[in-house]
Amino acid sequence: MQYRKFKPFGNISALSLGGGGLGQIWGETSREQVLETIEIALDQGINHLDVAPMYGHGEAESVVGEALRGKSTDGLYVTTKCQIGTPRGHKVYEKINASLTDSLKLLDIERVSLFLMHSQLIEDDYELFKYNQFREKNATTLSCYFNEVIPAFERLKQEGKIGDWGIGGIGQKEALLAALDHECRPAAVQCIVNPLNSAGAISYVSENFDPKIILQKCQHKDIPILAIRAVQAGALTSSMDRQPHSSGFDAEDFEDYVRAAPFRRLADQWGESPASLAHRYALSVSKVASVILGVKNTIELKECLQAERAERLSADQMATIQSLFAT
């Protein structure tokens, strides 16, 4: 396992174990499979676990807590999140602290290494492209972020409950760029990194969100980057092994799968699976500290571990992949 510089931790494994698969939101699995997946990840040198309350309604945090119980956590880093939204009545600290307290209880630890805002940033008068009726729950306004969220995060640091804090690199472009230019910048940003340059179903704030703009801003500002959505919710794998949600929420992910057909053909020509190539792509992007995996079982994890051991893609190979979806 390669380790890379990452300011909040010092060094981080090139792969992080994400909580989506552990929380059973990326297809059917079992707690037994998930526990074995965590054990293998730790044995193979992964030193960062990234979870959230939203992943299986606490299941990801709960199963990580079970997996770590009785084990030494020296050199292991745990990240969790809070969907802050824009609470009324200036009760941001209370909401964040309550969420964190619940997470720490499920994880059975006293402190998380990194705490992330899970809601998407918007300017104060901005209306969401979709689901605007859930604006207060799913989006955090810039004034709330600057005036209340940042002070709340800093207070949690002083109280010793978190090591540092960061944000997700998805939302309204203008709001995200303002946050990254602010004097109090996040210690890390989770940036979408995949050949499709797509956020898929979670891009409900902006109609034409461009993840690459946020990635490039973080690269330019030297803000530590954690790559997410390397396989874009399954669109960059051999097959979508889950059924579309009945609400139609994830329709964009299935549309991306159809759009990714040229990528699957290229992977076949190069003699590897699409998922492996997609992870090698994310691992080869400049200044990415770690790629967060959404695996749900040992088979998927082992494929990612093999991809991490392979050579990084050359500039020509990266250009070939990027040309598939150039507009």
Coordinates of all heavy atoms in Angstrom, one line a residue, residues 19-92:
G19 N -17.8 4.3 3.5 CA -18.9 3.7 4.3 C -20.2 3.4 3.5 O -21.1 2.8 4.0
G20 N -20.3 3.8 2.2 CA -21.5 3.5 1.4 C -21.7 2.0 1.3 O -22.8 1.6 1.6
G21 N -20.7 1.3 0.9 CA -20.9 -0.1 0.8 C -21.0 -0.8 2.1 O -21.8 -1.8 2.3
L22 N -20.3 -0.3 3.1 CA -20.4 -0.9 4.5 C -21.8 -0.7 5.0 O -22.3 -1.5 5.8 CB -19.4 -0.2 5.4 CG -17.9 -0.2 4.9 CD1 -17.0 0.4 6.0 CD2 -17.5 -1.6 4.6
G23 N -22.4 0.4 4.6 CA -23.8 0.7 5.1 C -24.9 0.1 4.2 O -26.1 0.4 4.4
Q24 N -24.4 -0.7 3.2 CA -25.3 -1.5 2.4 C -26.2 -0.6 1.5 O -27.4 -1.0 1.2 CB -26.2 -2.4 3.2 CG -25.3 -3.4 4.1 CD -26.1 -4.4 4.9 OE1 -27.2 -4.8 4.4 NE2 -25.7 -4.7 6.1
I25 N -25.7 0.6 1.1 CA -26.5 1.4 0.1 C -26.1 1.2 -1.3 O -26.7 1.7 -2.2 CB -26.4 2.9 0.5 CG1 -24.9 3.4 0.3 CG2 -26.8 3.1 1.9 CD1 -24.8 4.9 0.4
W26 N -25.0 0.4 -1.6 CA -24.5 0.2 -2.9 C -24.8 -1.2 -3.4 O -24.0 -1.9 -4.1 CB -23.0 0.5 -3.1 CG -22.6 1.9 -2.9 CD1 -21.7 2.4 -2.1 CD2 -23.2 3.0 -3.7 NE1 -21.6 3.8 -2.3 CE2 -22.5 4.2 -3.2 CE3 -24.2 3.1 -4.6 CZ2 -22.8 5.5 -3.7 CZ3 -24.5 4.4 -5.1 CH2 -23.8 5.5 -4.7
G27 N -25.9 -1.8 -2.9 CA -26.2 -3.1 -3.3 C -26.3 -4.1 -2.1 O -25.8 -3.8 -1.0
E28 N -26.8 -5.3 -2.4 CA -27.0 -6.2 -1.3 C -25.7 -6.8 -0.8 O -24.8 -7.2 -1.5 CB -27.9 -7.4 -1.8 CG -28.3 -8.3 -0.7 CD -29.3 -9.4 -1.2 OE1 -29.8 -9.2 -2.3 OE2 -29.6 -10.3 -0.5
T29 N -25.6 -6.9 0.5 CA -24.4 -7.5 1.2 C -24.9 -8.0 2.6 O -26.1 -7.9 2.9 CB -23.2 -6.6 1.3 OG1 -22.1 -7.3 1.8 CG2 -23.5 -5.4 2.1
S30 N -24.0 -8.4 3.4 CA -24.4 -8.9 4.7 C -23.4 -8.3 5.7 O -22.3 -7.9 5.3 CB -24.3 -10.4 4.8 OG -23.0 -10.9 4.7
R31 N -23.8 -8.2 7.0 CA -22.9 -7.6 8.0 C -21.6 -8.5 8.1 O -20.5 -8.0 8.3 CB -23.6 -7.5 9.3 CG -22.7 -7.0 10.5 CD -23.5 -6.6 11.7 NE -23.9 -5.3 11.6 CZ -23.6 -4.3 12.5 NH1 -22.9 -4.7 13.6 NH2 -24.1 -3.1 12.4
E32 N -21.8 -9.8 7.9 CA -20.6 -10.7 8.0 C -19.6 -10.4 6.9 O -18.4 -10.3 7.1 CB -21.1 -12.2 7.9 CG -20.0 -13.2 8.0 CD -20.5 -14.6 7.8 OE1 -21.6 -14.8 7.4 OE2 -19.7 -15.5 8.1
Q33 N -20.1 -10.2 5.7 CA -19.3 -9.8 4.6 C -18.6 -8.4 4.8 O -17.4 -8.3 4.5 CB -20.1 -9.7 3.3 CG -20.1 -10.9 2.4 CD -18.8 -11.1 1.7 OE1 -18.3 -10.3 0.9 NE2 -18.1 -12.2 2.0
V34 N -19.3 -7.5 5.4 CA -18.8 -6.2 5.6 C -17.7 -6.2 6.7 O -16.6 -5.6 6.5 CB -19.9 -5.2 6.1 CG1 -19.4 -3.9 6.6 CG2 -20.9 -4.9 4.9
L35 N -17.9 -7.0 7.7 CA -16.9 -7.1 8.8 C -15.6 -7.8 8.2 O -14.5 -7.3 8.6 CB -17.4 -8.0 9.9 CG -18.5 -7.3 10.8 CD1 -19.2 -8.3 11.7 CD2 -17.9 -6.2 11.7
E36 N -15.8 -8.7 7.4 CA -14.6 -9.4 6.7 C -13.9 -8.4 5.8 O -12.7 -8.3 5.7 CB -15.0 -10.6 5.9 CG -13.8 -11.4 5.4 CD -14.2 -12.6 4.6 OE1 -15.4 -12.9 4.6 OE2 -13.3 -13.3 4.1
T37 N -14.7 -7.5 5.1 CA -14.1 -6.5 4.2 C -13.3 -5.5 5.0 O -12.2 -5.2 4.6 CB -15.2 -5.8 3.5 OG1 -15.9 -6.8 2.7 CG2 -14.7 -4.7 2.6
I38 N -13.8 -5.1 6.2 CA -13.0 -4.1 7.0 C -11.8 -4.8 7.5 O -10.7 -4.1 7.5 CB -13.9 -3.7 8.2 CG1 -15.1 -2.9 7.7 CG2 -13.1 -2.8 9.2 CD1 -16.2 -2.6 8.8
E39 N -11.8 -6.0 7.9 CA -10.6 -6.7 8.5 C -9.6 -6.8 7.4 O -8.4 -6.5 7.7 CB -11.0 -8.1 8.9 CG -9.9 -8.9 9.6 CD -10.3 -10.2 10.1 OE1 -11.5 -10.5 10.2 OE2 -9.4 -11.0 10.6
I40 N -9.9 -7.2 6.2 CA -9.0 -7.3 5.1 C -8.4 -5.9 4.8 O -7.2 -5.8 4.5 CB -9.6 -8.0 3.9 CG1 -9.9 -9.4 4.1 CG2 -8.7 -7.8 2.7 CD1 -10.7 -10.1 3.0
A41 N -9.2 -4.9 4.7 CA -8.7 -3.6 4.4 C -7.7 -3.1 5.4 O -6.6 -2.6 5.0 CB -9.9 -2.6 4.4
L42 N -7.9 -3.3 6.7 CA -6.9 -3.0 7.7 C -5.7 -3.8 7.6 O -4.5 -3.3 7.7 CB -7.6 -3.1 9.1 CG -8.8 -2.2 9.4 CD1 -9.3 -2.5 10.8 CD2 -8.5 -0.8 9.2
D43 N -5.8 -5.1 7.3 CA -4.7 -6.0 7.2 C -3.8 -5.6 6.0 O -2.6 -5.8 6.0 CB -5.1 -7.4 7.0 CG -5.6 -8.1 8.3 OD1 -5.4 -7.5 9.4 OD2 -6.3 -9.1 8.2
Q44 N -4.4 -5.0 5.0 CA -3.7 -4.7 3.8 C -3.2 -3.2 3.8 O -2.6 -2.7 2.8 CB -4.6 -4.8 2.5 CG -4.9 -6.3 2.2 CD -3.7 -7.1 2.0 OE1 -2.8 -6.8 1.1 NE2 -3.6 -8.3 2.6
G45 N -3.3 -2.6 4.9 CA -2.6 -1.3 5.1 C -3.5 -0.1 4.9 O -3.0 1.1 5.0
I46 N -4.8 -0.2 4.7 CA -5.7 0.9 4.6 C -5.8 1.5 6.0 O -6.1 0.8 7.0 CB -7.1 0.5 4.1 CG1 -6.9 0.2 2.6 CG2 -8.1 1.6 4.3 CD1 -8.2 -0.2 1.9
N47 N -5.5 2.8 6.2 CA -5.5 3.4 7.5 C -6.5 4.5 7.7 O -6.5 5.3 8.6 CB -4.1 4.0 7.8 CG -3.7 5.2 7.0 OD1 -4.4 5.6 6.1 ND2 -2.6 5.8 7.3
H48 N -7.5 4.6 6.7 CA -8.5 5.6 6.8 C -9.9 5.0 6.5 O -10.1 4.4 5.4 CB -8.2 6.8 5.9 CG -9.3 7.8 5.9 ND1 -9.7 8.4 4.7 CD2 -10.0 8.4 6.9 CE1 -10.6 9.3 5.0 NE2 -10.8 9.3 6.3
L49 N -10.8 5.1 7.4 CA -12.2 4.7 7.2 C -13.1 5.9 7.2 O -13.0 6.8 8.0 CB -12.6 3.8 8.4 CG -11.8 2.6 8.7 CD1 -12.3 1.8 9.9 CD2 -11.7 1.7 7.4
D50 N -13.9 6.0 6.1 CA -14.8 7.2 5.9 C -16.2 6.8 5.9 O -16.7 6.1 5.0 CB -14.4 7.8 4.5 CG -15.3 8.9 4.2 OD1 -15.0 10.1 4.6 OD2 -16.3 8.7 3.5
V51 N -17.0 7.2 7.0 CA -18.3 6.8 7.1 C -19.2 8.1 7.3 O -18.8 9.2 7.2 CB -18.5 5.9 8.4 CG1 -17.8 4.6 8.1 CG2 -18.0 6.5 9.6
A52 N -20.5 7.8 7.5 CA -21.5 8.9 7.7 C -22.8 8.4 8.3 O -23.1 7.2 8.0 CB -21.7 9.6 6.4
P53 N -23.5 9.1 9.0 CA -24.8 8.7 9.5 C -25.8 8.3 8.4 O -26.6 7.4 8.6 CB -25.3 9.9 10.3 CG -24.1 10.7 10.7 CD -23.2 10.5 9.5
M54 N -25.7 8.9 7.2 CA -26.6 8.6 6.1 C -26.4 7.3 5.5 O -27.2 6.8 4.8 CB -26.5 9.7 5.1 CG -27.0 11.1 5.5 SD -26.9 12.3 4.1 CE -27.9 11.6 2.9
Y55 N -25.2 6.7 5.7 CA -24.9 5.4 5.1 C -25.6 4.3 5.8 O -25.0 3.8 6.8 CB -23.4 5.2 5.0 CG -22.6 6.2 4.3 CD1 -21.3 6.5 4.5 CD2 -23.2 7.0 3.3 CE1 -20.5 7.4 3.8 CE2 -22.5 8.0 2.6 CZ -21.2 8.2 2.9 OH -20.4 9.1 2.2
G56 N -26.8 4.0 5.4 CA -27.5 2.9 6.0 C -28.1 3.3 7.3 O -28.3 2.4 8.2
H57 N -28.5 4.6 7.5 CA -29.1 5.1 8.7 C -28.3 4.6 10.0 O -28.8 4.1 10.9 CB -30.5 4.6 8.8 CG -31.4 5.0 7.7 ND1 -31.8 6.2 7.4 CD2 -31.9 4.2 6.6 CE1 -32.6 6.3 6.3 NE2 -32.6 5.1 5.8
G58 N -27.0 4.9 9.9 CA -26.1 4.5 11.0 C -25.4 3.2 10.9 O -24.6 2.9 11.7
E59 N -25.8 2.4 9.9 CA -25.3 1.0 9.8 C -23.8 1.0 9.6 O -23.0 0.2 10.2 CB -26.0 0.2 8.7 CG -25.3 -1.1 8.4 CD -25.4 -2.1 9.5 OE1 -26.2 -1.9 10.5 OE2 -24.7 -3.1 9.5
A60 N -23.3 1.9 8.7 CA -21.8 2.0 8.5 C -21.0 2.3 9.7 O -20.0 1.7 10.0 CB -21.6 3.1 7.4
E61 N -21.5 3.3 10.5 CA -20.8 3.6 11.7 C -20.9 2.5 12.7 O -19.9 2.2 13.4 CB -21.4 4.9 12.3 CG -21.2 6.1 11.5 CD -21.9 7.4 12.0 OE1 -23.0 7.3 12.6 OE2 -21.3 8.5 11.9
S62 N -22.0 1.8 12.8 CA -22.2 0.7 13.8 C -21.3 -0.4 13.4 O -20.7 -1.0 14.3 CB -23.7 0.3 13.7 OG -23.9 -0.8 14.6
V63 N -21.2 -0.8 12.2 CA -20.4 -2.0 11.8 C -18.9 -1.7 11.9 O -18.1 -2.6 12.3 CB -20.8 -2.5 10.4 CG1 -20.2 -1.6 9.3 CG2 -20.3 -3.9 10.2
V64 N -18.5 -0.4 11.7 CA -17.1 -0.1 12.0 C -16.8 -0.1 13.4 O -15.8 -0.6 13.9 CB -16.8 1.4 11.4 CG1 -15.5 1.9 11.9 CG2 -16.8 1.3 9.9
G65 N -17.8 0.4 14.3 CA -17.6 0.3 15.7 C -17.4 -1.2 16.2 O -16.6 -1.5 17.0
E66 N -18.2 -2.1 15.6 CA -18.1 -3.5 15.9 C -16.7 -4.1 15.5 O -16.1 -4.8 16.2 CB -19.2 -4.3 15.3 CG -19.2 -5.8 15.6 CD -20.3 -6.6 15.0 OE1 -21.3 -6.0 14.6 OE2 -20.2 -7.8 14.9
A67 N -16.3 -3.7 14.2 CA -15.1 -4.2 13.7 C -13.9 -3.7 14.5 O -12.9 -4.5 14.6 CB -14.9 -3.8 12.2
L68 N -13.9 -2.5 15.0 CA -12.7 -2.0 15.7 C -12.7 -2.3 17.2 O -11.7 -2.2 17.9 CB -12.7 -0.5 15.6 CG -12.6 0.1 14.1 CD1 -12.5 1.6 14.2 CD2 -11.3 -0.5 13.4
R69 N -13.8 -2.8 17.7 CA -13.9 -3.1 19.2 C -12.8 -4.1 19.6 O -12.7 -5.1 19.1 CB -15.3 -3.6 19.5 CG -15.7 -3.4 21.0 CD -17.2 -3.5 21.2 NE -17.9 -2.4 20.5 CZ -18.9 -2.6 19.7 NH1 -19.3 -3.8 19.3 NH2 -19.5 -1.5 19.2
G70 N -12.1 -3.6 20.6 CA -11.0 -4.5 21.1 C -9.7 -4.5 20.4 O -8.8 -5.1 20.8
K71 N -9.7 -3.7 19.3 CA -8.5 -3.6 18.5 C -7.7 -2.3 18.7 O -8.4 -1.3 19.1 CB -8.8 -3.7 17.0 CG -9.3 -5.1 16.5 CD -9.5 -5.0 15.0 CE -9.9 -6.4 14.4 NZ -11.3 -6.8 14.9
S72 N -6.4 -2.3 18.5 CA -5.7 -1.1 18.6 C -6.0 -0.2 17.4 O -6.1 -0.7 16.3 CB -4.2 -1.4 18.6 OG -3.4 -0.2 18.5
T73 N -6.3 1.1 17.7 CA -6.5 2.0 16.6 C -5.4 3.0 16.4 O -5.6 4.0 15.7 CB -7.8 2.8 16.9 OG1 -7.7 3.4 18.2 CG2 -9.0 1.9 17.0
D74 N -4.2 2.6 16.9 CA -3.0 3.5 16.7 C -2.7 3.5 15.2 O -2.7 2.5 14.5 CB -1.8 2.9 17.4 CG -1.9 3.0 18.9 OD1 -2.8 3.8 19.4 OD2 -1.2 2.3 19.6
G75 N -2.6 4.7 14.7 CA -2.3 4.9 13.3 C -3.5 4.8 12.4 O -3.4 4.8 11.1
L76 N -4.7 4.6 12.9 CA -5.9 4.5 12.2 C -6.7 5.8 12.3 O -6.8 6.4 13.4 CB -6.8 3.3 12.7 CG -8.1 3.1 11.9 CD1 -7.8 2.7 10.5 CD2 -8.9 2.0 12.7
Y77 N -7.3 6.2 11.2 CA -8.0 7.5 11.1 C -9.4 7.2 10.7 O -9.7 6.5 9.8 CB -7.3 8.5 10.2 CG -5.9 8.7 10.5 CD1 -4.9 8.1 9.8 CD2 -5.5 9.6 11.5 CE1 -3.5 8.2 10.1 CE2 -4.2 9.8 11.9 CZ -3.2 9.1 11.1 OH -1.9 9.3 11.4
V78 N -10.4 7.9 11.4 CA -11.8 7.7 11.1 C -12.4 9.1 10.8 O -12.2 10.0 11.5 CB -12.5 7.0 12.3 CG1 -14.0 6.9 11.9 CG2 -11.9 5.7 12.6
T79 N -13.1 9.1 9.7 CA -13.9 10.3 9.3 C -15.4 10.0 9.3 O -15.8 9.0 8.9 CB -13.5 10.7 7.8 OG1 -12.1 11.2 7.8 CG2 -14.4 11.8 7.3
T80 N -16.1 11.0 9.8 CA -17.6 10.9 9.7 C -18.1 12.3 9.3 O -17.3 13.2 9.1 CB -18.3 10.3 11.0 OG1 -19.6 10.0 10.6 CG2 -18.3 11.4 12.1
K81 N -19.4 12.4 9.1 CA -20.0 13.6 8.5 C -21.2 14.0 9.2 O -21.8 13.2 10.1 CB -20.3 13.3 7.0 CG -19.1 12.7 6.3 CD -19.5 12.4 4.9 CE -18.4 11.7 4.1 NZ -18.2 10.3 4.5
C82 N -21.8 15.2 8.8 CA -23.1 15.6 9.3 C -23.7 16.4 8.2 O -23.2 17.3 7.6 CB -22.9 16.5 10.5 SG -24.4 17.2 11.2
Q83 N -25.0 16.0 7.9 CA -25.8 16.7 7.0 C -26.4 17.9 7.7 O -27.5 17.8 8.3 CB -26.9 15.9 6.4 CG -27.6 16.6 5.2 CD -28.6 15.6 4.5 OE1 -28.9 14.6 5.0 NE2 -29.1 16.1 3.4
I84 N -25.7 19.0 7.6 CA -26.1 20.2 8.4 C -27.3 20.9 7.9 O -28.2 21.3 8.7 CB -24.9 21.2 8.5 CG1 -23.7 20.4 9.1 CG2 -25.2 22.4 9.3 CD1 -22.4 21.2 9.0
G85 N -27.3 21.1 6.6 CA -28.4 21.9 6.0 C -28.3 23.4 6.5 O -27.2 23.9 6.7
T86 N -29.4 24.1 6.6 CA -29.4 25.5 7.1 C -30.4 25.6 8.2 O -31.6 26.0 8.0 CB -29.7 26.5 6.0 OG1 -28.8 26.3 4.9 CG2 -29.6 27.9 6.4
P87 N -30.0 25.2 9.4 CA -30.9 25.2 10.6 C -31.4 26.6 10.9 O -30.7 27.6 10.8 CB -30.1 24.6 11.7 CG -28.9 24.0 11.1 CD -28.7 24.7 9.8
R88 N -32.7 26.7 11.3 CA -33.2 27.9 11.8 C -32.9 28.1 13.2 O -32.6 27.2 14.0 CB -34.8 27.9 11.6 CG -35.2 27.8 10.1 CD -36.7 27.9 10.0 NE -37.2 27.7 8.7 CZ -38.5 27.8 8.3 NH1 -39.4 28.1 9.2 NH2 -38.8 27.7 7.0
G89 N -32.9 29.4 13.6 CA -32.7 29.7 15.0 C -31.3 29.6 15.5 O -31.0 29.6 16.7
H90 N -30.3 29.6 14.6 CA -28.9 29.7 15.0 C -28.5 28.5 15.9 O -27.8 28.7 16.9 CB -28.5 31.0 15.6 CG -28.9 32.2 14.7 ND1 -28.2 32.5 13.6 CD2 -30.0 33.0 14.8 CE1 -28.8 33.6 13.0 NE2 -29.8 33.9 13.7
K91 N -28.9 27.3 15.6 CA -28.6 26.2 16.4 C -27.7 25.2 15.7 O -27.8 24.0 15.8 CB -29.9 25.5 16.9 CG -30.8 26.4 17.8 CD -32.0 25.6 18.3 CE -32.8 26.5 19.3 NZ -34.0 25.7 19.8
V92 N -26.7 25.8 15.0 CA -25.8 24.9 14.2 C -24.9 24.1 15.0 O -24.8 22.9 14.8 CB -25.0 25.8 13.2 CG1 -23.9 25.0 12.5 CG2 -25.9 26.4 12.1

